[in-house]
């Protein structure tokens, strides 16, 4: 699969999962450098907000937008994932006053390779939003075809609310 970065096409490492697929197993690291694995997210609905670089304007907007919205959903796992280092992520959280959200690092690129969202020539992840059911199946996905664009927040939140009704 390809996506654009400022109009220039870049290849992902493969084809990301589609609706109905089981999301692949991965590991990421939290602010304390503890490993979080996909299997630990099972049993709760999960929203994954994937950003290329937390220190860029669109990534910051996306992260803050979902952070403010997700406060309404205590019963949902919510992770923002980037390849930034844990130190970079924590510096951003401190500067932005973000406390509740779980910003996790794909510093080892496990998430990027397993989900096929890694842009290898850039070392970043493709901007995307994923909602997984309690069993880890993809019920919503939006992979942004132009990296500098924002996701459709309202559609993602509507899909999340619909899933939680079931």
């Amino acid at each position: 699969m390809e996506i654009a970065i400022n109009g220039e096409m870049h290849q992902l490492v493969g084809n990301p999962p589609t609706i109905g697929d089981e999301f692949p197993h991965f590991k990421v690291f939290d602010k304390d450098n503890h490993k979080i694995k996909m299997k630990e997210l099972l049993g709760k609905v999960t929203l994954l907000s994937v950003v290329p670089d937390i220190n860029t304007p669109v990534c910051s907007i996306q992260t803050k937008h979902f952070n403010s919205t997700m406060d309404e959903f205590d019963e949902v796992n919510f992770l923002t994932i980037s390849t930034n280092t844990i130190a970079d992520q924590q510096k951003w959280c401190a500067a932005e006053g973000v406390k509740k959200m779980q910003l996790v690092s794909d510093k080892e690129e496990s998430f990027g390779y397993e989900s096929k969202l890694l842009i290898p020539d850039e070392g970043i992840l493709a901007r995307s939003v994923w909602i997984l059911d309690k069993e880890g199946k993809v019920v919503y996905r939006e992979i942004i075809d132009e990296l500098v664009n924002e996701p459709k927040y309202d559609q993602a939140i509507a899909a999340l609310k619909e899933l939680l009704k079931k």
Side-chain angles (χ1 to χ4, degrees):
M1 179 175 187
E2 281 188 326
I3 62 151
I5 303 176
N6 293 313
E8 183 182 320
M9 298 311 290
H10 292 265
Q11 193 70 39
L12 302 183
V13 292
N15 292 314
T18 59
I19 304 291
D21 287 351
E22 186 175 312
F23 203 84
H25 294 275
F26 63 84
K27 68 178 180 211
V28 289
F29 295 87
D30 70 11
K31 65 181 179 166
D32 300 316
N33 203 31
H34 293 127
K35 198 180 303 180
I36 298 173
K37 295 180 179 180
M38 174 63 196
K39 67 181 179 184
E40 295 168 32
L41 303 176
L42 299 177
K44 285 176 83 174
V45 170
T46 299
L47 187 143
L48 303 174
S49 174
V50 181
V51 298
D53 181 348
I54 195 64
N55 295 310
T56 60
V58 177
C59 295
S60 187
I61 290 166
Q62 177 178 336
T63 302
K64 287 189 277 188
H65 190 285
F66 277 121
N67 183 55
S68 65
T69 305
M70 293 310 293
D71 285 346
E72 308 168 27
F73 302 100
D74 288 336
E75 70 280 14
V76 175
N77 292 315
F78 171 53
L79 283 77
T80 293
I81 303 171
S82 76
T83 54
N84 295 92
T85 65
I86 294 167
D88 272 352
Q89 290 178 342
Q90 290 311 298
K91 191 183 303 178
W92 180 88
C93 285
E96 297 295 336
V98 171
K99 294 176 175 63
K100 186 174 179 182
M101 180 191 54
Q102 198 164 13
L103 190 54
V104 295
S105 176
D106 187 29
K107 62 184 182 178
E108 293 181 355
E109 299 178 344
S110 164
F111 177 85
Y113 275 107
E114 295 301 325
S115 66
K116 309 298 185 224
L117 290 168
L118 184 70
I119 306 167
D121 56 340
E122 299 291 322
I124 57 175
L125 301 170
R127 182 181 316 285
S128 53
V129 179
W130 301 82
I131 298 175
L132 314 177
D133 68 12
K134 293 177 181 182
E135 289 77 46
K137 286 201 179 352
V138 177
V139 296
Y140 177 89
R141 88 172 197 168
E142 181 187 10
I143 301 170
I144 312 305
D145 56 1
E146 170 53 74
L147 202 69
V148 299
N149 293 338
E150 291 179 60
K152 296 176 182 92
Y153 304 110
D154 293 343
Q155 285 184 357
I157 297 306
L160 180 63
K161 287 179 178 176
E162 188 62 34
L163 180 60
L164 292 173
K165 286 183 193 174
K166 296 179 181 180

